[in-house]
Amino acid sequence: LFYKNLFSTDHSQHQTRPTKSALVSFLFLPVFFLICLFASIGLLYWIYPEFAPLLFFFLPPILWQLAIQFFAWRSTMLCVEKDGILASGYRRLTLYTAYIPREQLQRVSVNQNFIQRFSGRCTLHLCTGAEKTGCFAVNNLSKQEVLSLLDI
């Protein structure tokens, strides 16, 4: 891949990835939907047994979301070099990798939601000012590692 040639593995001190504990944050919503689906199937089977199998049509989209979120956890990373920043993340059902030269970077923001404050993780927004892309978001990275990488 492009970024494997751009940034070699000997620069591992300049990159960060989500930890294994962050996997729970990535998979929480699809697993919650799976639990709700099977609870609904059980309840509907108890009330109207002939209609319960119809809910299995909701299973493939939930499993698809579960797979996307797992691959998002595997591919999310931030690599900082003197020339630019390499960010891999996801948005909705799309995984992306973006190389942003330092001269095109207009704004960097580190945000935390309520749950991320307790876990020590953050969401990093890298804004380029481009019309189509605008900002790239990298979710669930360690806040301390991101701040030390960006020298903030």
Side-chain angles (χ1 to χ4, degrees):
L1 293 173
F2 169 71
Y3 66 88
K4 293 213 187 253
N5 295 332
L6 188 61
F7 296 99
S8 61
T9 56
D10 60 339
H11 295 96
S12 61
Q13 70 272 14
H14 299 292
Q15 75 177 16
T16 183
R17 294 182 172 274
T19 60
K20 289 182 181 179
S21 63
L23 182 61
V24 175
S25 298
F26 280 87
L27 299 181
F28 177 76
L29 201 57
V31 169
F32 177 74
F33 286 151
L34 274 177
I35 292 169
C36 290
L37 177 67
F38 287 122
S40 301
I41 289 171
L43 184 64
L44 193 60
Y45 185 75
W46 184 56
I47 297 172
Y48 297 110
E50 60 273 0
F51 293 120
L54 293 176
L55 290 179
F56 280 109
F57 287 110
F58 292 109
L59 191 59
I62 294 173
L63 292 177
W64 178 255
Q65 179 69 27
L66 187 70
I68 290 290
Q69 291 295 97
F70 176 75
F71 287 119
W73 172 74
R74 295 273 302 169
S75 67
T76 296
M77 66 162 288
L78 176 71
C79 184
V80 178
E81 290 292 325
K82 64 179 179 217
D83 300 346
I85 296 175
L86 182 71
S88 292
Y90 71 97
R91 183 164 189 223
R92 296 185 184 137
L93 294 177
T94 305
L95 302 173
Y96 64 84
T97 300
Y99 174 73
I100 305 168
R102 287 208 184 248
E103 58 271 2
Q104 290 183 359
L105 195 62
Q106 292 184 355
R107 183 173 54 110
V108 176
S109 65
V110 178
N111 301 327
Q112 287 182 304
N113 62 28
F114 182 72
I115 296 171
Q116 286 177 335
R117 287 183 186 170
F118 292 110
S119 63
R121 292 189 285 267
C122 67
T123 300
L124 176 71
H125 294 278
L126 303 166
C127 299
T128 60
E131 288 182 26
K132 281 190 170 185
T133 54
C135 290
F136 295 98
V138 185
N139 299 322
N140 291 313
L141 295 174
S142 170
K143 183 179 178 184
Q144 295 300 327
E145 290 180 14
V146 168
L147 294 178
S148 67
L149 277 176
L150 298 174
D151 294 328
I152 296 177

